[in-house]
Amino acid sequence: MRRAYEEPEPDDGLRVLVDRLWPRGVSKEAAHVDEWPKGLTPSTELRRWFHGGGTYEEFRHRYETELEAPEAAELLDGLRKAARRGRLTLLTASKTPERSHAQVLLELLER
């Protein structure tokens, strides 16, 4: 997992942007994003709730529930398959990636 603002590294492998919104100030060329599965990102409502003062633990629970929806579950399964084939880097613009949806995804992929 890396911040989308960091320079790409040669060993990043498949670079997947896991944010619903494109990172501000980052050009598509500079980001070197291979995939952008918007259906895997938290809903706008959940994102607003979390940034409005919701707890990380409750956010995590609600997000994992959202990931059980058919489209999100299929996209998550696709990421799992990609991770088994080679290196996968999750990209996020979050200032605290370790307490974001990207961390939840990372942990789910590591299971």
Side-chain angles (χ1 to χ4, degrees), residues 38-56:
K38 293 180 188 176
L40 196 56
T41 63
S43 66
T44 300
E45 295 80 16
L46 180 57
R47 188 171 39 82
R48 287 181 180 157
W49 173 84
F50 182 48
H51 293 295
T55 66
Y56 179 71

Side-chain angles (χ1 to χ4, degrees), residues 1 16-20 36-51 55-73 75-77 79-80 90-92 97-109 111:
M1 178 175 54
V16 181
L17 179 64
V18 294
D19 291 349
R20 184 168 300 268
W36 187 13
K38 293 180 188 176
L40 196 56
T41 63
S43 66
T44 300
E45 295 80 16
L46 180 57
R47 188 171 39 82
R48 287 181 180 157
W49 173 84
F50 182 48
H51 293 295
T55 66
Y56 179 71
E57 291 73 23
E58 181 63 21
F59 166 78
R60 173 185 203 88
H61 173 72
R62 291 181 186 193
Y63 181 44
E64 286 182 8
T65 299
E66 286 187 356
L67 290 172
E68 294 172 2
E71 178 188 3
L75 290 168
L76 184 58
D77 188 51
L79 280 187
R80 282 189 180 109
L90 302 180
L91 302 171
T92 182
E98 65 283 351
R99 292 191 54 82
S100 73
H101 66 289
Q103 180 67 36
V104 175
L105 287 173
L106 180 64
E107 291 173 14
L108 290 173
L109 291 172
R111 286 185 190 166

Side-chain angles (χ1 to χ4, degrees), residues 7-18:
E7 290 291 321
E9 294 289 333
D11 65 344
D12 280 349
L14 184 70
R15 292 171 54 88
V16 181
L17 179 64
V18 294

